[in-house]
Amino acid sequence: HKELPFIILLGILCGILGSFYIKLQKRVNMTRKYLYSTWCCNVWVYALVIGLIVLSTTFYTKMLLTRDELVIRSMIDIDITLA
């Protein structure tokens, strides 16, 4: 019964984090609803814009592994492939 206070604290912490997650998700959904209704009314354009944002973010922040970068560069640059 020594672990009972820790279990209670864990329950309180999980409750608080769950509350913050619900608030964050609600804010994200409201933002998406606002952007979809005003900025981007076509589903394909919305998907393309979000895809380009994710693509540029992952490429320029070096989230790709080095070996993946070399493969992609060799596919794009024909001089490296032939050399």
Side-chain angles (χ1 to χ4, degrees):
H1 306 178
K2 295 178 184 178
E3 68 272 355
L4 192 58
F6 297 110
I7 293 173
I8 291 171
L9 287 174
L10 182 64
I12 292 171
L13 180 67
C14 288
I16 291 171
L17 289 176
S19 172
F20 284 135
Y21 176 75
I22 289 172
K23 286 182 182 181
L24 175 71
Q25 193 64 30
K26 185 177 179 181
R27 182 174 287 175
V28 167
N29 286 341
M30 294 300 287
T31 304
R32 283 183 62 199
K33 187 176 183 180
Y34 172 74
L35 287 176
Y36 184 75
S37 64
T38 59
W39 179 65
C40 186
C41 52
N42 189 352
V43 177
W44 294 103
V45 174
Y46 179 77
L48 181 67
V49 168
I50 297 299
L52 288 174
I53 290 172
V54 169
L55 176 70
S56 63
T57 303
T58 55
F59 184 75
Y60 289 118
T61 57
K62 300 292 182 187
M63 292 184 89
L64 287 173
L65 297 174
T66 305
R67 61 180 179 264
D68 292 340
E69 255 184 74
L70 293 175
V71 168
I72 292 172
R73 283 193 184 151
S74 69
M75 289 169 58
I76 293 172
D77 192 8
I78 193 74
D79 295 332
I80 294 174
T81 308
L82 295 177

